[in-house]
PDB file of all heavy atoms in Angstrom:
ATOM      1  N   SER A 469     -68.362 -71.101 104.975  1.00  0.00           N
ATOM      2  CA  SER A 469     -67.177 -71.039 104.109  1.00  0.00           C
ATOM      3  C   SER A 469     -65.927 -71.602 104.782  1.00  0.00           C
ATOM      4  O   SER A 469     -65.102 -72.214 104.118  1.00  0.00           O
ATOM      5  CB  SER A 469     -66.883 -69.591 103.716  1.00  0.00           C
ATOM      6  OG  SER A 469     -67.727 -69.195 102.676  1.00  0.00           O
ATOM      7  N   THR A 470     -65.787 -71.366 106.069  1.00  0.00           N
ATOM      8  CA  THR A 470     -64.541 -71.782 106.721  1.00  0.00           C
ATOM      9  C   THR A 470     -64.758 -72.946 107.684  1.00  0.00           C
ATOM     10  O   THR A 470     -64.483 -74.097 107.358  1.00  0.00           O
ATOM     11  CB  THR A 470     -63.904 -70.601 107.468  1.00  0.00           C
ATOM     12  OG1 THR A 470     -64.933 -69.947 108.218  1.00  0.00           O
ATOM     13  CG2 THR A 470     -63.233 -69.641 106.532  1.00  0.00           C
ATOM     14  N   GLN A 471     -65.283 -72.656 108.891  1.00  0.00           N
ATOM     15  CA  GLN A 471     -65.328 -73.703 109.914  1.00  0.00           C
ATOM     16  C   GLN A 471     -66.151 -74.917 109.496  1.00  0.00           C
ATOM     17  O   GLN A 471     -65.758 -76.054 109.754  1.00  0.00           O
ATOM     18  CB  GLN A 471     -65.864 -73.134 111.234  1.00  0.00           C
ATOM     19  CG  GLN A 471     -64.797 -72.328 111.991  1.00  0.00           C
ATOM     20  CD  GLN A 471     -65.157 -70.878 112.118  1.00  0.00           C
ATOM     21  OE1 GLN A 471     -65.862 -70.321 111.281  1.00  0.00           O
ATOM     22  NE2 GLN A 471     -64.658 -70.228 113.155  1.00  0.00           N
ATOM     23  N   TYR A 472     -67.296 -74.687 108.826  1.00  0.00           N
ATOM     24  CA  TYR A 472     -68.130 -75.835 108.457  1.00  0.00           C
ATOM     25  C   TYR A 472     -67.544 -76.590 107.258  1.00  0.00           C
ATOM     26  O   TYR A 472     -67.688 -77.803 107.171  1.00  0.00           O
ATOM     27  CB  TYR A 472     -69.591 -75.408 108.233  1.00  0.00           C
ATOM     28  CG  TYR A 472     -70.324 -75.298 109.566  1.00  0.00           C
ATOM     29  CD1 TYR A 472     -69.851 -74.460 110.577  1.00  0.00           C
ATOM     30  CD2 TYR A 472     -71.460 -76.049 109.831  1.00  0.00           C
ATOM     31  CE1 TYR A 472     -70.483 -74.385 111.809  1.00  0.00           C
ATOM     32  CE2 TYR A 472     -72.102 -75.979 111.066  1.00  0.00           C
ATOM     33  CZ  TYR A 472     -71.616 -75.138 112.043  1.00  0.00           C
ATOM     34  OH  TYR A 472     -72.235 -75.071 113.272  1.00  0.00           O
ATOM     35  N   SER A 473     -66.857 -75.878 106.371  1.00  0.00           N
ATOM     36  CA  SER A 473     -66.176 -76.583 105.276  1.00  0.00           C
ATOM     37  C   SER A 473     -65.024 -77.416 105.842  1.00  0.00           C
ATOM     38  O   SER A 473     -64.800 -78.551 105.414  1.00  0.00           O
ATOM     39  CB  SER A 473     -65.645 -75.594 104.242  1.00  0.00           C
ATOM     40  OG  SER A 473     -66.720 -75.013 103.546  1.00  0.00           O
ATOM     41  N   THR A 474     -64.315 -76.837 106.815  1.00  0.00           N
ATOM     42  CA  THR A 474     -63.253 -77.605 107.470  1.00  0.00           C
ATOM     43  C   THR A 474     -63.853 -78.841 108.128  1.00  0.00           C
ATOM     44  O   THR A 474     -63.357 -79.969 107.952  1.00  0.00           O
ATOM     45  CB  THR A 474     -62.551 -76.734 108.544  1.00  0.00           C
ATOM     46  OG1 THR A 474     -62.020 -75.579 107.906  1.00  0.00           O
ATOM     47  CG2 THR A 474     -61.444 -77.492 109.249  1.00  0.00           C
ATOM     48  N   ALA A 475     -64.926 -78.639 108.887  1.00  0.00           N
ATOM     49  CA  ALA A 475     -65.552 -79.763 109.601  1.00  0.00           C
ATOM     50  C   ALA A 475     -65.996 -80.845 108.615  1.00  0.00           C
ATOM     51  O   ALA A 475     -65.811 -82.041 108.859  1.00  0.00           O
ATOM     52  CB  ALA A 475     -66.746 -79.258 110.415  1.00  0.00           C
ATOM     53  N   TYR A 476     -66.545 -80.423 107.484  1.00  0.00           N
ATOM     54  CA  TYR A 476     -67.009 -81.398 106.485  1.00  0.00           C
ATOM     55  C   TYR A 476     -65.828 -82.235 105.975  1.00  0.00           C
ATOM     56  O   TYR A 476     -65.902 -83.454 105.880  1.00  0.00           O
ATOM     57  CB  TYR A 476     -67.695 -80.671 105.326  1.00  0.00           C
ATOM     58  CG  TYR A 476     -68.274 -81.613 104.294  1.00  0.00           C
ATOM     59  CD1 TYR A 476     -69.625 -81.933 104.299  1.00  0.00           C
ATOM     60  CD2 TYR A 476     -67.469 -82.197 103.313  1.00  0.00           C
ATOM     61  CE1 TYR A 476     -70.168 -82.818 103.356  1.00  0.00           C
ATOM     62  CE2 TYR A 476     -67.986 -83.075 102.373  1.00  0.00           C
ATOM     63  CZ  TYR A 476     -69.335 -83.377 102.404  1.00  0.00           C
ATOM     64  OH  TYR A 476     -69.849 -84.252 101.473  1.00  0.00           O
ATOM     65  N   PHE A 477     -64.740 -81.538 105.640  1.00  0.00           N
ATOM     66  CA  PHE A 477     -63.576 -82.262 105.103  1.00  0.00           C
ATOM     67  C   PHE A 477     -63.025 -83.236 106.155  1.00  0.00           C
ATOM     68  O   PHE A 477     -62.682 -84.381 105.840  1.00  0.00           O
ATOM     69  CB  PHE A 477     -62.505 -81.256 104.663  1.00  0.00           C
ATOM     70  CG  PHE A 477     -61.354 -81.906 103.955  1.00  0.00           C
ATOM     71  CD1 PHE A 477     -61.515 -82.456 102.694  1.00  0.00           C
ATOM     72  CD2 PHE A 477     -60.106 -81.981 104.556  1.00  0.00           C
ATOM     73  CE1 PHE A 477     -60.457 -83.086 102.043  1.00  0.00           C
ATOM     74  CE2 PHE A 477     -59.041 -82.599 103.908  1.00  0.00           C
ATOM     75  CZ  PHE A 477     -59.218 -83.150 102.653  1.00  0.00           C
TER      76      PHE A 477
END
Side-chain angles (χ1 to χ4, degrees):
S469 280
T470 46
Q471 282 116 332
Y472 278 57
S473 290
T474 301
Y476 183 99
F477 187 69

